[in-house]
Amino acid sequence: MLKDITLGQYFPGKSFIHNLDPRTKILCIVIYITVIFLIKSFLGYAALAIFTALCVFSSKIPVKFVLRGLKPIMMFVAITALFNLFLTNGRVAWQWGFLTITYEGITLAIFMVLRLFFLVLGTSLLTLTTSPIALTDGIENLLSPLKRIGVPAHELAMMMTIALRFVPTLLEETDKIIKAQTARGADFESGNLISRAKAMIPILIPLFISAFRRADDLAVAMECRCYRGGENRTRLRALKMSYRDGFGFGAIILFTAIIILTNILSGRLGLV
Amino acid sequence: MDTNTKDTVIDVNNVEFLYEETDTAQVLKGITLNVRRGEFLAVLGHNGSGKSTLAKHLNAILVPQTGNVTVEGFDTADENLLYKIRQRVGMVFQNPDNQLVATIVEEDVAFAPENLGVPQAEIKKRVEYALDAVNMTEYKEHAPHMLSGGQKQRIAIAGILAMKPDVLVMDEPTAMLDPVGRREIMETVKKLNREENMTVVMITHFMEEAAEADRVIVMDHGKSIMEGAPKEVFSRVEELKKIGLDVPQTTELCFLLKKSGLDFDANILTIDECVNKVMSVYNSKGGATND
Ligand SMILES: Nc1ncnc2c1ncn2[C@@H]1O[C@H](COP(=O)(O)OP(=O)(O)OP(=O)(O)O)[C@@H](O)[C@H]1O
Ligand SMILES: [Mg+2]
């Protein structure tokens, strides 16, 4: 179960997408997400699907691996879809007792599912092709103009780096604790929601205690390595834009234009 | 005690320390010692004797309440010298998982020089040097969490070496490792001490590790109560036992044989020495009875 979490996992490689500057990738993903919410028609989603597929293929990451990122959100997607399906007003398509499905509800539910899928696909593609360090460096760099108004850009980036660094360590630890508690007769599988939630307490408490102890140790270790915030810090890898990033921005602008075009077209033709 | 300042890297002078005002007993009770350039110093002592507290005084993580600590003549109580001191005295801790900052080995090794504002080209050189010194060059692009305990701890050491410190202080660096990892660390440290002339201070619970040092200090209740070459210190078997410490098994064996009236010294450390001694005593005895 814990192994399915691909969010924040890096898949090393040398593809075009891997080699883009992290700042380019972050800006592109922001545009991509905005665009997803602008799409008004199935034609637009078709264009989105083609663009996303092209990105996935040019990243050279196995499609199966990229799709695995969708697994943990399935439940969430299903619930959202059901809400949209039953709770949207409009022309009735089907009715049974108090349950009503409308044509508008069906469209909205499908749109919602597609949006969530592409949202997760896009962001996992970002984290899969960008090493966590590059990612946080990129964020720090993009946020640094905001330092003047008091945004702690360096600290935020450092926190993210450390959080990402400790994800595997804490997952491993959780696994160990679950096994240890199971060996002592704890039952995490049966019972209703409340009793299952209660069963989590013996996992969470040791996990938290150990996390605090680790945080303490890490703080001392960082002090020992002369850490003193972001000032005067140099970097092993400096961020550098290249001609590739020009292509990247070009592609996302073209994509945005196409989506706007599909919106206009479907409006004219009266399509959904 | 000879305080030949030229050869002393760290000078700990009559240091007293307690964590909280309300504590009844001090953790360090007027401890005095020095670390000499190029030596491999081991620090022994039972749980709670103040070893970790002492270690944290060596690079100004903690500052003495009375007495003083100087590193290359710099007083650790002087805030302005803080980073000069920390750069010179690097520290490695018990749990390698809690010391690594980055998700890629070379990024982690670069952390300290980055903090010190070393130029990019020089950082690259230092990362290469440090990874080579701990024999981990081929892992430079790996994720630390995929490595073994011993490898992780070697990365932690490399992260310190990249600061180009004068002294490497290690607080039980092998306590969480399996025997293979323990061996790896001991070999790395001994190589650094021998080939790079790195001064090493190693806190340990393993007598076999302390036996490989040039000099041993034994702590008890916040004081240094014994000091000397491993042979000298370990030959004081009864005193060590009284404060709850073991001696290497070979030393213990010789000590017991001596006590039973045989011609043994309790200053034998290695297995080879022990075997030779046993054989020679056996032969001389055997010769006597056969005649
Ligand atoms: N952060 C702290 N706050 C308060 N008391 C502390 C703190 N750290 C250690 N102590 C206390 O100081 C004493 C000495 O601890 P220290 O960690 O220096 O011993 P040690 O010799 O390193 O022991 P061990 O072999 O278990 O590592 C102990 O009694 C401990 O409880
Ligand atoms: Mg300790």
Side-chain angles (χ1 to χ4, degrees):
Chain A
M1 151 189 107
L2 295 173
K3 301 223 163 53
D4 287 335
I5 300 173
T6 51
L7 196 73
Q9 244 181 52
Y10 175 48
F11 193 97
K14 299 234 176 309
S15 75
F16 175 80
I17 301 213
H18 280 91
N19 284 332
L20 285 173
D21 187 286
R23 289 169 293 182
T24 311
K25 280 188 269 192
I26 294 166
L27 289 175
C28 285
I29 204 79
V30 170
I31 297 173
Y32 177 88
I33 289 170
T34 321
V35 167
I36 288 179
F37 283 95
L38 290 179
I39 299 177
K40 288 195 191 122
S41 67
F42 283 112
L43 192 60
Y45 280 107
L48 175 68
I50 293 171
F51 179 73
T52 311
L54 283 176
C55 291
V56 171
F57 285 123
S58 64
S59 75
K60 294 195 180 128
I61 297 173
V63 179
K64 234 169 70 192
F65 205 83
V66 182
L67 291 178
R68 220 197 293 165
L70 294 174
K71 241 195 197 163
I73 63 150
M74 284 303 194
M75 193 66 186
F76 179 68
V77 171
I79 292 170
T80 321
L82 286 179
F83 267 101
N84 279 296
L85 198 59
F86 288 112
L87 300 178
T88 313
N89 294 323
R91 292 173 297 134
V92 176
W94 180 82
Q95 199 162 22
W96 187 76
F98 63 97
L99 290 176
T100 324
I101 294 178
T102 62
Y103 288 109
E104 284 77 4
I106 295 173
T107 323
L108 210 59
I110 296 175
F111 276 15
M112 215 54 197
V113 169
L114 288 173
R115 260 178 217 167
L116 287 171
F117 272 4
F118 284 109
L119 209 77
V120 173
L121 276 186
T123 39
S124 6
L125 197 60
L126 172 71
T127 53
L128 283 170
T129 59
T130 320
S131 83
I133 293 275
L135 198 61
T136 48
D137 275 358
I139 291 172
E140 178 174 356
N141 195 282
L142 289 171
L143 288 180
S144 59
L146 299 180
K147 267 188 200 154
R148 248 173 281 147
I149 59 162
V151 176
H154 168 77
E155 286 74 10
L156 284 173
M158 198 67 203
M159 271 166 57
M160 278 186 57
T161 311
I162 290 170
L164 288 172
R165 150 72 184 80
F166 277 91
V167 165
T169 311
L170 291 178
L171 284 181
E172 208 174 283
E173 182 137 34
T174 315
D175 241 20
K176 250 190 231 161
I177 297 173
I178 291 178
K179 283 198 187 111
Q181 303 288 32
T182 314
R184 289 182 178 79
D187 178 11
F188 303 108
E189 313 283 294
S190 59
N192 59 14
L193 213 62
I194 294 174
S195 64
R196 277 204 211 184
K198 266 196 192 149
M200 297 305 280
I201 294 175
I203 301 174
L204 290 179
I205 290 179
L207 192 64
F208 268 86
I209 292 174
S210 121
F212 280 118
R213 139 127 245 121
R214 285 178 193 282
D216 227 31
D217 283 2
L218 185 72
V220 174
M222 283 168 73
E223 276 188 71
C224 287
R225 289 163 82 182
C226 298
Y227 181 66
R228 50 187 138 170
E231 256 167 73
N232 300 327
R233 224 167 161 252
T234 47
R235 302 312 314 268
L236 172 67
R237 303 228 175 288
L239 297 178
K240 220 170 92 205
M241 294 269 182
S242 74
Y243 68 94
R244 279 194 214 94
D245 299 283
F247 282 123
F249 282 119
I252 200 84
I253 289 168
L254 191 68
F255 167 64
T256 313
I258 290 174
I259 293 298
I260 293 172
L261 209 66
T262 63
N263 277 350
I264 296 171
L265 259 179
S266 61
R268 287 254 173 90
L269 301 175
L271 298 167
V272 268
Chain B
M1 193 175 286
D2 81 311
T3 38
N4 185 351
T5 42
K6 207 177 162 199
D7 283 318
T8 302
V9 196
I10 305 179
D11 197 2
V12 176
N13 196 0
N14 205 14
V15 166
E16 294 178 13
F17 184 83
L18 76 171
Y19 280 96
E20 273 146 49
E21 295 293 324
T22 50
D23 283 0
T24 42
Q26 285 174 319
V27 177
L28 297 180
K29 296 176 189 162
I31 188 167
T32 296
L33 61 96
N34 58 25
V35 180
R36 297 166 197 157
R37 196 177 305 282
E39 78 172 333
F40 181 171
L41 174 67
V43 179
L44 291 172
H46 64 83
N47 295 99
S49 57
K51 304 180 301 289
S52 299
T53 309
L54 171 70
K56 287 184 180 144
H57 275 81
L58 301 183
N59 70 343
I61 294 292
L62 296 175
V63 175
Q65 280 143 357
T66 3
N68 66 322
V69 177
T70 57
V71 172
E72 306 271 16
F74 298 132
D75 192 331
T76 58
D78 187 344
E79 290 251 351
N80 298 323
L81 301 172
L82 194 61
Y83 296 105
K84 281 203 169 101
I85 290 165
R86 295 221 176 125
Q87 179 264 312
R88 284 172 170 79
V89 182
M91 185 106 81
V92 173
F93 297 93
Q94 201 179 78
N95 189 342
D97 271 328
N98 300 355
Q99 301 172 64
L100 304 178
V101 185
T103 38
I104 294 174
V105 166
E106 60 175 349
E107 297 278 359
D108 188 82
V109 177
F111 184 69
E114 286 178 342
N115 291 333
L116 291 165
V118 173
Q120 194 186 12
E122 169 73 14
I123 297 180
K124 275 195 183 128
K125 269 193 227 152
R126 287 193 185 191
V127 170
E128 258 166 46
Y129 152 77
L131 284 174
D132 184 51
V134 298
N135 229 333
M136 286 293 287
T137 307
E138 57 184 308
Y139 293 94
K140 72 176 180 184
E141 278 167 16
H142 283 231
H145 71 94
M146 307 289 260
L147 304 176
S148 74
Q151 289 173 327
K152 278 189 248 188
Q153 195 63 298
R154 268 147 69 196
I155 298 301
I157 295 175
I160 294 303
L161 292 180
M163 294 201 290
K164 300 241 165 176
D166 298 342
V167 186
L168 182 61
V169 179
M170 298 194 281
D171 191 351
E172 301 190 35
T174 59
M176 301 192 66
L177 306 181
D178 57 10
V180 177
R182 221 179 286 157
R183 203 60 248 158
E184 278 172 27
I185 298 302
M186 275 317 279
E187 259 148 37
T188 307
V189 169
K190 277 168 65 187
K191 185 184 126 203
L192 285 169
N193 177 248
R194 222 174 31 235
E195 289 170 16
E196 312 274 324
N197 208 20
M198 177 69 68
T199 311
V200 175
V201 178
M202 180 155 168
I203 295 168
T204 179
H205 268 141
F206 296 102
M207 300 303 143
E208 282 71 18
E209 289 175 3
E212 295 183 51
D214 300 326
R215 194 159 67 106
V216 177
I217 284 178
V218 180
M219 278 183 76
D220 188 39
H221 289 106
K223 278 193 185 135
S224 144
I225 56 159
M226 276 183 228
E227 190 213 315
K231 274 188 192 225
E232 289 161 38
V233 169
F234 287 129
S235 64
R236 294 155 79 173
V237 178
E238 270 164 342
E239 284 170 79
L240 287 170
K241 295 232 151 181
K242 216 156 60 192
I243 60 162
L245 287 178
D246 276 332
V247 293
Q249 284 170 347
T250 46
T251 314
E252 171 137 37
L253 174 67
C254 295
F255 171 75
L256 291 174
L257 289 169
K258 181 184 172 189
K259 233 170 124 184
S260 68
L262 289 169
D263 174 27
F264 271 89
D265 301 322
N267 66 357
I268 282 170
L269 285 178
T270 65
I271 293 176
D272 283 345
E273 272 181 309
C274 185
V275 170
N276 286 340
K277 184 74 192 172
V278 170
M279 287 314 289
S280 76
V281 171
Y282 174 79
N283 283 339
S284 66
K285 287 275 161 189
T289 41
N290 280 349
D291 273 355

